[in-house]
Amino acid sequence: MAIDKSLVSGSTTTLILKLLSEKDMYGYEMIETLSKKSENTFDLKAGTLYPILHNLEKSRLLEAYEKKADNDRTRKYYHITEKGRKLLSEKEKEWYIYSNAVNKVLKGGLSYAVIRAY
């Protein structure tokens, strides 16, 4: 089932920041990793990714640097900044509250966020 693009577009920045909180990556690597981790739910195109990366860099949420790859090709890598980590933390909290509220409505008022075994 395809996911509505409006649902995806609101979370793309958060997903990119999350990937970069785990390790520095170059653009194509982000596209591939996001697709793999989401079981192909997120199929980001380069034409969508690079403007987002540029804006995140401009906002000082990311820093870019060049590094030679094994094939002697130079790639542009991205690194999350402390400001980016702070925003990611805020966005993760927002997502938890939002997704929990949506689940409550969809599931008739039940919360599935916390499951305890007694």
Side-chain angles (χ1 to χ4, degrees):
M1 179 173 150
I3 303 296
D4 183 340
K5 289 192 185 296
S6 66
L7 292 174
V8 175
S9 66
S11 59
T12 306
T13 295
T14 304
L15 296 173
I16 291 168
L17 290 173
K18 182 61 178 177
L19 290 179
L20 293 173
S21 75
E22 296 169 359
K23 74 175 199 162
D24 294 0
M25 294 185 187
Y26 56 93
Y28 184 72
E29 184 179 13
M30 286 181 239
I31 291 169
E32 290 294 305
T33 303
L34 188 58
S35 179
K36 184 178 176 184
K37 284 187 171 211
S38 69
E39 297 177 347
N40 301 317
T41 297
F42 300 117
D43 183 25
L44 206 55
K45 305 293 183 212
T48 302
L49 175 65
Y50 287 103
I52 293 169
L53 291 172
H54 178 73
N55 287 334
L56 291 173
E57 190 176 4
K58 190 174 169 183
S59 301
R60 294 192 164 100
L61 299 168
L62 300 179
E63 296 172 340
Y65 63 93
E66 291 187 352
K67 180 179 170 185
K68 283 202 181 226
D70 293 337
N71 61 4
D72 210 33
R73 182 177 174 193
T74 301
R75 289 195 169 123
K76 188 172 186 179
Y77 282 79
Y78 295 88
H79 172 79
I80 190 170
T81 63
E82 197 55 43
K83 183 178 178 184
R85 288 185 189 282
K86 184 177 178 187
L87 179 64
L88 173 61
S89 177
E90 292 168 7
K91 292 295 183 186
E92 285 178 322
K93 289 173 189 166
E94 283 178 16
W95 180 255
Y96 173 79
I97 292 166
Y98 174 78
S99 62
N100 194 34
V102 169
N103 283 332
K104 285 179 181 179
V105 172
L106 293 177
K107 303 296 183 186
L110 299 175
S111 175
Y112 294 97
V114 178
I115 299 173
R116 294 187 179 142
Y118 293 99

